[in-house]
Amino acid sequence: MTNAHYRSLAGAACVAALLAAAPATAQDKTLTISWWGFNGEKLNQFIVQPFQEKCGCTLVFETGNNADRLNKIKIRGGEGVDVAYFTDGFSQIGIEEGLFQPIDRSKVPNLQGLYEMAQAPQGEYGPAYTIGRVGIVYDSAKVSPAITKWADLWRDDLKSAVSLPGITTTAGPMVVMIAGEKAGTDPFENADPAFAEIEAIKPNVVKNYNTGSEMINLFSTGEITVSLAQDFALGQLKAAVPTVEWANLEDGAIATLNTVNIPKGAANVELAHEFINFILSPEVQQATAENGVDAPVVKAVELTPEQAKQWTYGKEMIDGLKRVDYSKLNAAKSDWIDRWNEIFGM
């Protein structure tokens, strides 16, 4: 899932330890994967061990955050790993820098079973293996009326009650897009009206947060009652503050996609395609969704309401999401960061 991200890297050591203890099968056949390393035990159970048994190969890993791992691939000229997991903002950078190769879709037949948004989110390159969303969360015990649209963030009754994600986080630049929409302008063409709206929302903003845990703490201490958030933080947030709700936005939440690509210098391209097809199988997607790993992108996955409540799940929800043009966003981000920091005094 999506995404990512306030993803913890604490599971990386767990993955490494589990793999070190695994049988050394087919030592001549190795697949190297670049990913975050969170959810180590569950990934080992539902993906690593089953795929190693299926392919008669050994999986090895390069772990870390998006920026660090992408930079390693860049330094190596697209070599060193066979499969690379990234959020869509970072995979777009990799595509534009020529680090990834197109996917041979004939070798990934499970693509046909995905929601359309996940099949080819960045053209001929890798699919999304999970979809998340950015929306608004609010404490329903303290905020009335309910929040129903993005523009509600500017409401007068929310003065000193809102936290926004920092501009360098995954969701931060989306605030500029939302502000542009409120101003009736395209912030990629003319950012001035959008930043005028960000200046206008400043009295409502208590703090910019940079991690999910920081946002949850702000809710727990009562410093805020409203925030932008990615949906994978909702479970922990509701555990801390049970009255927090995900706003049903009439103008739509924003999609966040986690993608999987094959670097241009991959040593095991055939096996990489086999792995991507495996993680997109209905069986794997069902198991990972049921067990709290990732939201499914396979249409055939069926979840109970209890299993589904933490995920971006189902055709209606997915079809209602807004997409981000990361090619434009990545080009604008540097200027947006400077202008954001001027407003918030950073």
Side-chain angles (χ1 to χ4, degrees):
M1 328 263 105
T2 109
N3 158 259
H5 260 133
Y6 312 120
R7 301 290 199 182
S8 167
L9 301 182
C14 180
V15 170
L18 288 164
L19 293 174
T25 59
Q27 300 251 344
D28 59 329
K29 196 174 175 186
T30 299
L31 188 72
T32 303
I33 299 174
S34 173
W35 64 3
W36 295 278
F38 56 87
N39 268 335
E41 290 185 2
K42 290 181 178 180
L43 289 173
N44 187 66
Q45 179 180 356
F46 299 115
I47 293 179
V48 176
Q49 292 300 333
F51 186 74
Q52 287 188 147
E53 292 173 10
K54 181 177 184 296
C55 71
C57 62
T58 299
L59 302 186
V60 296
F61 298 88
E62 183 170 278
T63 59
N65 63 34
N66 282 290
D68 290 345
R69 292 185 296 105
L70 186 62
N71 190 51
K72 288 178 181 178
I73 294 174
K74 182 178 180 178
I75 290 171
R76 296 191 300 253
E79 299 182 351
V81 296
D82 302 303
V83 177
Y85 284 64
F86 288 104
T87 57
D88 45 359
F90 282 89
S91 57
Q92 183 64 39
I93 295 172
I95 289 167
E96 291 173 0
E97 294 187 349
L99 300 180
F100 303 140
Q101 59 182 277
I103 296 294
D104 184 342
R105 296 180 182 274
S106 69
K107 297 176 180 176
V108 191
N110 284 329
L111 282 172
Q112 298 175 17
L114 307 190
Y115 291 105
E116 184 177 353
M117 184 182 292
Q119 291 182 15
Q122 294 168 315
E124 61 185 344
Y125 297 94
Y129 68 89
T130 188
I131 297 175
R133 60 198 158 134
V134 170
I136 299 174
V137 288
Y138 68 99
D139 189 338
S140 60
K142 299 177 180 179
V143 176
S144 183
I147 291 176
T148 60
K149 55 185 181 296
W150 286 107
D152 284 347
L153 290 169
W154 280 259
R155 282 182 358 199
D156 291 340
D157 62 299
L158 298 182
K159 184 177 181 180
S160 299
V162 177
S163 181
L164 297 178
I167 188 62
T168 60
T169 67
T170 297
M174 297 177 189
V175 179
V176 183
M177 295 169 53
I178 295 161
E181 192 169 289
K182 183 175 185 295
T185 188
D186 181 349
F188 298 119
E189 298 295 329
N190 179 13
D192 290 349
F195 278 95
E197 290 290 350
I198 292 173
E199 185 73 49
I201 203 178
K202 188 176 178 181
N204 287 11
V205 179
V206 175
K207 187 176 183 180
N208 292 171
Y209 72 86
N210 290 305
T211 66
S213 58
E214 185 180 1
M215 177 197 64
I216 292 168
N217 186 59
L218 290 168
F219 269 103
S220 298
T221 59
E223 292 176 74
I224 64 169
T225 56
V226 179
S227 185
L228 266 74
Q230 291 183 255
D231 63 347
F232 65 74
L234 184 59
Q236 287 181 302
L237 183 53
K238 285 185 72 69
V241 184
T243 50
V244 165
E245 299 292 341
W246 183 271
N248 184 17
L249 300 174
E250 60 191 39
D251 42 354
I254 301 171
T256 58
L257 283 67
N258 282 3
T259 63
V260 59
N261 272 281
I262 302 175
K264 69 176 184 181
N268 296 290
V269 174
E270 293 296 319
L271 193 56
H273 280 92
E274 184 180 342
F275 178 81
I276 292 172
N277 194 57
F278 175 79
I279 66 171
L280 297 177
S281 68
E283 297 79 12
V284 171
Q285 290 262 313
Q286 183 79 41
T288 53
E290 286 181 354
N291 288 277
V293 179
D294 283 314
V297 292
V298 171
K299 291 182 285 187
V301 170
E302 295 186 2
L303 302 177
T304 66
E306 182 66 22
Q307 291 168 339
K309 69 181 183 180
Q310 67 175 312
W311 298 133
T312 299
Y313 167 74
K315 185 178 188 302
E316 182 179 358
M317 184 179 292
I318 290 173
D319 286 350
L321 296 175
K322 301 171 182 283
R323 285 295 310 277
V324 176
D325 186 335
Y326 279 103
S327 181
K328 291 182 178 179
L329 177 56
N330 290 336
K333 189 182 292 185
S334 178
D335 177 63
W336 287 7
I337 289 171
D338 290 341
R339 298 186 67 165
W340 178 283
N341 289 342
E342 286 179 9
I343 291 173
F344 290 105
M346 296 177 184

